[in-house]
Amino acid sequence: MNEKVGDMLKMRRMFKWFICFSLVYSLNESYMTQIVSGAKPIVGGPQLAVLVNGKKVVFHGGDPISENDRVLVPLRGIGEELGAKVEFKENTILYEKEDRKIKFELGSKIASINSAMVTMESQARAIKGRIYVPLRFISEYLGENVLWDPIGNWVWVGDRVIPRLEDVVKKEPLEPYKKYFQNFDVLLKDVEGTEYSDARVITYLQLPLKINDTLTIYDIWPIKQEDVEGIQIRASFNGFTTYLLSENSQPRQRQERKGLLIKNQDGTTTSSYPIVNGNDMFNDPNYKNYKLQDVEYIYLREPVDSIVMIKCPFVYKEIIS
């Protein structure tokens, strides 16, 4: 008799667990499905960028632009990044690097390459008060290889290399970041239970990076479908878990949305993660009000020698507005 009672109690506990799990799964699917089946398309994509030897170029005073399948960049940024001397005087632009000399006039498609006349694919011109030049033409005639990456919306100039995390991002003391892991001390330990003492915080401009021997993070960008927000991550593989971190809040675990997984032709994957997730209801009664702007860091749960986080890079929110 006691055995039957025990079995009945065990069955009840299992049934309650199943109902709870089903509820959480249903909520989770409901909030993630909104970003799939809405009436309007998903908006947002990778930002146009130029990489020289695997490092993003920061163009002060103006960003790269794309016109008629041609990428134009501010004249000094690319020249100086490639080690060239740059001069602009009386509408004449001059690049000099070792035995190479490129000279052309603003508004003209004719350039002088070591005194030989060459026609450029597009002309240098003023855009919003900045002088822009054709990226491919300048880079190739300065002796660099140029490759367009349509998946990443990138232009690779020079060697297509991706640096390792430890070669780019320095370790920091973990202590200032512990406030982002309330009641989740397990995330501050490695798989063997050893506590981390350091953190590595990645910025958007430092991507792409090899996190470890298997995972490479190429890029990250926000997406939006009507009022539903999410993020997409391009990486060397999919299926890794992320956590959204905000100060004085518990980490919010996020799994990729399987229905939105993109397997790119170059072997990389693009995974989508929701900002709002039904699982958060147990820790945050206002979980539906959580916004992209509330995310301060994105934590990558990967086997490395420290905590690895990406500082939320979405200062370019205009692409999803």
Side-chain angles (χ1 to χ4, degrees):
M1 185 70 176
N2 290 336
E3 290 182 1
K4 290 184 178 180
V5 172
D7 290 342
M8 289 178 65
L9 291 174
K10 187 181 296 184
M11 288 292 290
R12 287 180 179 178
R13 285 195 296 267
M14 291 179 64
F15 181 72
K16 288 180 179 179
W17 179 89
F18 175 77
I19 293 297
C20 182
F21 175 81
S22 299
L23 175 62
V24 170
Y25 182 80
S26 176
L27 285 167
N28 184 36
E29 286 295 297
S30 174
Y31 276 95
M32 294 179 75
T33 302
Q34 290 184 57
I35 214 166
V36 179
S37 58
K40 293 186 177 181
I42 294 174
V43 179
Q47 194 175 36
L48 177 64
V50 177
L51 287 77
V52 173
N53 297 326
K55 178 184 176 183
K56 281 195 180 83
V57 179
V58 179
F59 294 96
H60 299 288
D63 294 324
I65 62 173
S66 178
E67 289 186 350
N68 301 319
D69 297 326
R70 298 286 187 267
V71 176
L72 304 176
V73 295
L75 72 94
R76 291 196 179 276
I78 189 60
E80 293 172 352
E81 193 69 31
L82 295 177
K85 178 183 176 182
V86 184
E87 290 184 5
F88 177 59
K89 186 177 181 180
E90 297 179 354
N91 289 338
T92 299
I93 299 168
L94 176 65
Y95 290 91
E96 288 186 282
K97 180 181 179 182
E98 299 172 351
D99 60 345
R100 300 170 186 267
K101 182 182 290 187
I102 308 173
K103 186 178 181 180
F104 51 92
E105 300 292 325
L106 188 65
S108 173
K109 287 188 176 183
I110 304 300
S112 171
I113 309 295
N114 291 348
S115 300
M117 306 310 291
V118 177
T119 301
M120 299 187 291
E121 67 270 22
S122 55
Q123 64 188 19
R125 59 190 180 88
I127 301 175
K128 296 182 179 179
R130 306 285 296 183
I131 305 302
Y132 277 73
V133 298
L135 172 65
R136 178 179 291 275
F137 181 88
I138 299 301
S139 300
E140 289 183 338
Y141 277 101
L142 286 176
E144 302 293 344
N145 294 320
V146 179
L147 178 66
W148 169 244
D149 179 354
I151 297 170
N153 202 26
W154 288 348
V155 183
W156 295 82
V157 179
D159 294 330
R160 189 175 180 177
V161 294
I162 298 177
R164 296 188 65 86
L165 171 70
E166 59 270 23
D167 294 332
V168 176
V169 184
K170 295 181 179 179
K171 288 183 179 180
E172 302 178 37
L174 178 58
E175 190 63 33
Y177 298 102
K178 287 185 177 179
K179 60 187 176 185
Y180 294 98
F181 294 89
Q182 289 189 8
N183 302 322
F184 273 74
D185 291 344
V186 65
L187 298 181
L188 301 176
K189 301 177 181 179
D190 63 19
V191 293
E192 297 178 352
T194 303
E195 290 189 9
Y196 289 112
S197 58
D198 302 297
R200 295 185 193 267
V201 181
I202 302 168
T203 66
Y204 167 75
L205 290 176
Q206 291 171 324
L207 296 174
L209 284 175
K210 291 183 179 179
I211 306 302
N212 51 36
D213 290 338
T214 57
L215 178 61
T216 296
I217 300 294
Y218 288 83
D219 204 358
I220 180 171
W221 58 88
I223 56 174
K224 193 172 184 179
Q225 185 182 60
E226 296 185 297
D227 294 328
V228 182
E229 298 178 321
I231 60 173
Q232 287 187 327
I233 300 178
R234 180 188 176 199
S236 53
F237 65 86
N238 65 294
F240 55 90
T241 300
T242 64
Y243 292 81
L244 307 182
L245 304 181
S246 302
E247 186 173 357
N248 301 320
S249 174
Q250 291 189 0
R252 299 167 189 257
Q253 183 179 6
R254 295 294 182 264
Q255 302 284 354
E256 66 176 334
R257 177 61 181 168
K258 297 295 185 183
L260 284 179
L261 175 64
I262 302 172
K263 295 184 178 181
N264 301 311
Q265 292 182 350
D266 64 352
T268 64
T269 62
T270 300
S271 299
S272 300
Y273 299 84
I275 298 301
V276 172
N277 188 300
N279 291 341
D280 297 336
M281 66 180 296
F282 299 105
N283 298 316
D284 180 6
N286 298 313
Y287 74 99
K288 293 182 182 179
N289 296 325
Y290 193 62
K291 301 294 184 183
L292 179 66
Q293 64 186 20
D294 298 323
V295 182
E296 296 181 59
Y297 297 95
I298 299 164
Y299 171 55
L300 304 176
R301 183 67 165 161
E302 285 295 311
V304 292
D305 62 355
S306 59
I307 293 291
V308 178
M309 302 184 295
I310 302 175
K311 188 174 182 179
C312 193
F314 306 129
V315 294
Y316 47 94
K317 292 189 178 70
E318 65 271 10
I319 71 172
I320 62 168
S321 60

